[in-house]
Amino acid sequence: MSIEVKNLLKEYGEQKAVNDISFKVGKGEIVGFLGPNGAGKSTTMKIITGYLQQTAGEAFVSGINVNEEPLQTKRKIGYLPESNALYYDMYVREYLGFVAEVHQISQKQQAIDKAIETVKLNVEAKKKVGQLSKGYKQRVGLAAALIHDPEVLILDEPTSGLDPNQIIEIREVIRQQGKNKTVLFSSHILQEVEAICDRVIIINKGQLVADDKLTNLRKNSTGQTKVILELKETVDEEVMSSVFGKSVSRINPNSWRFDTHDPEKLKKEILQLTLQNNLNIVSLQSETTNLEDVFRGLTA
């Protein structure tokens, strides 16, 4: 396994920022690391990268214990922290050259050119870092994380500050990197996670609450499908409740939500109700459980 976390614990006084979590991420996996603010995501990432010492437990990168071989593990990791600290007075190429020297890269200029091309920084490459927009600063941080061609990528909010077009470009960069690297990234943009990942890990209040493929999480979160009905007319709530019981709830005066294990059967019952009461259907559609529903169910 490229990343392995065993019974990780991080305490600040009486507060447990990370509370006995364990997980593994293999090569070629792109895994979304999710949780509310303060759940312990950034703390866990800092421990894996060796920037923070855990209270108990172990973290391994490519089979190497992070505490026992900190320099060796850092060589294998590309890390984009949430803060993305940069030297604003340095030019983009100058800064990436500095990072390349830290990693002792022999073919420095080639590595700089490749990193700039990968994250589409060409247009801004001659500017000082401090002159860049927030989105391009984020790209500089990502280029610095990639410049030494690491085995493992740890990305904390990699699309922060990017516009929609830039997000699509960086999403593709992450997807391409995930073909031969291990990628663990956090994001509050759940659509991004759904677009890139097959698997997600969710923590809440320092504890692991989910670790599974997206398809399984959607299936197991409620086991139900949402059906949304919009009528032309306004119907009394008692009429709906008398037929469908607790499975129905009003969204607005003319729209209703149903939770069901059998959407096709439910739709037939809705059609029968509308025919009996001379009601006109504006729309009737099923909605599968998305990652936002899963996330809220596990962390709300």
Side-chain angles (χ1 to χ4, degrees):
M1 284 295 165
S2 293
I3 298 174
E4 185 174 4
V5 165
K6 292 183 179 179
N7 305 112
L8 208 61
L9 174 69
K10 179 60 180 178
E11 294 178 327
Y12 294 101
E14 296 182 358
Q15 180 187 1
K16 293 181 179 179
V18 178
N19 189 4
D20 193 30
I21 67 171
S22 300
F23 61 83
K24 298 177 181 179
V25 185
K27 185 177 180 179
E29 277 195 285
I30 305 176
V31 176
F33 193 39
L34 309 179
N37 288 332
K41 304 186 300 298
S42 293
T43 299
T44 302
M45 288 179 156
K46 288 175 182 176
I47 291 171
I48 294 170
T49 54
Y51 285 86
L52 193 64
Q53 180 72 44
Q54 67 265 39
T55 305
E58 295 176 297
F60 298 86
V61 173
S62 299
I64 305 167
N65 190 301
V66 174
N67 284 344
E68 293 176 2
E69 300 287 348
L71 288 179
Q72 192 173 349
T73 52
K74 283 182 173 66
R75 291 189 183 101
K76 296 181 177 293
I77 296 171
Y79 178 39
L80 176 62
E82 185 179 14
S83 58
N84 190 19
L86 301 168
Y87 292 110
Y88 284 10
D89 288 335
M90 298 179 79
Y91 290 92
V92 171
R93 285 185 173 276
E94 183 185 10
Y95 172 72
L96 293 177
F98 163 71
V99 176
E101 288 176 4
V102 169
H103 286 291
Q104 300 177 337
I105 297 172
S106 56
Q107 296 179 315
K108 186 173 71 172
Q109 288 305 318
Q110 288 183 7
I112 293 169
D113 291 340
K114 183 179 179 181
I116 286 173
E117 178 62 34
T118 299
V119 303
K120 309 298 182 188
L121 257 175
N122 308 69
V123 177
E124 306 292 321
K126 294 182 180 180
K127 292 183 179 179
K128 284 188 175 182
V129 174
Q131 295 175 315
L132 302 178
S133 66
K134 183 179 179 183
Y136 275 103
K137 288 187 179 85
Q138 196 73 354
R139 291 184 187 224
V140 173
L142 183 56
L146 292 169
I147 198 164
H148 59 298
D149 193 24
E151 295 177 19
V152 175
L153 277 177
I154 309 286
L155 308 175
D156 199 351
E157 300 288 342
T159 57
S160 175
L162 303 183
D163 65 38
N165 290 329
Q166 291 175 327
I167 286 173
I168 292 170
E169 291 175 359
I170 296 303
R171 178 196 300 173
E172 186 57 30
V173 170
I174 294 171
R175 187 181 285 115
Q176 291 299 321
Q177 294 298 317
K179 291 181 178 179
N180 53 21
K181 300 184 191 300
T182 302
V183 182
L184 180 69
F185 82 99
S186 71
S187 177
H188 288 296
I189 306 173
L190 300 185
Q191 295 91 333
E192 282 304 298
V193 178
E194 286 187 298
I196 300 174
C197 302
D198 289 326
R199 173 185 164 205
V200 297
I201 296 170
I202 303 176
I203 62 173
N204 187 39
K205 297 178 181 178
Q207 294 184 309
L208 192 74
V209 294
D211 179 2
D212 208 340
K213 291 186 176 295
L214 268 172
T215 51
N216 293 336
L217 286 173
R218 291 193 190 104
K219 188 186 303 180
N220 297 333
S221 60
T222 63
Q224 295 182 326
T225 299
K226 289 186 295 184
V227 175
I228 307 299
L229 167 68
E230 184 181 354
L231 296 168
K232 189 175 181 180
E233 300 82 8
T234 300
V235 180
D236 192 281
E237 199 159 345
E238 290 184 3
V239 174
M240 287 297 205
S241 298
S242 66
V243 179
F244 301 104
K246 294 182 179 179
S247 68
V248 63
S249 58
R250 189 192 291 274
I251 299 172
N252 59 50
N254 290 44
S255 297
W256 301 86
R257 167 181 164 161
F258 303 82
D259 295 306
T260 178
H261 293 280
D262 191 344
E264 295 309 313
K265 180 184 177 183
L266 175 70
K267 287 178 181 179
K268 290 178 182 178
E269 293 172 349
I270 291 171
L271 288 172
Q272 186 176 357
L273 174 73
T274 56
L275 288 170
Q276 289 173 351
N277 292 274
N278 295 318
L279 301 172
N280 295 287
I281 296 175
V282 177
S283 66
L284 179 62
Q285 54 189 350
S286 301
E287 293 184 2
T288 56
T289 303
N290 58 29
L291 184 55
E292 183 178 347
D293 297 322
V294 174
F295 183 85
R296 287 180 58 81
L298 292 169
T299 65

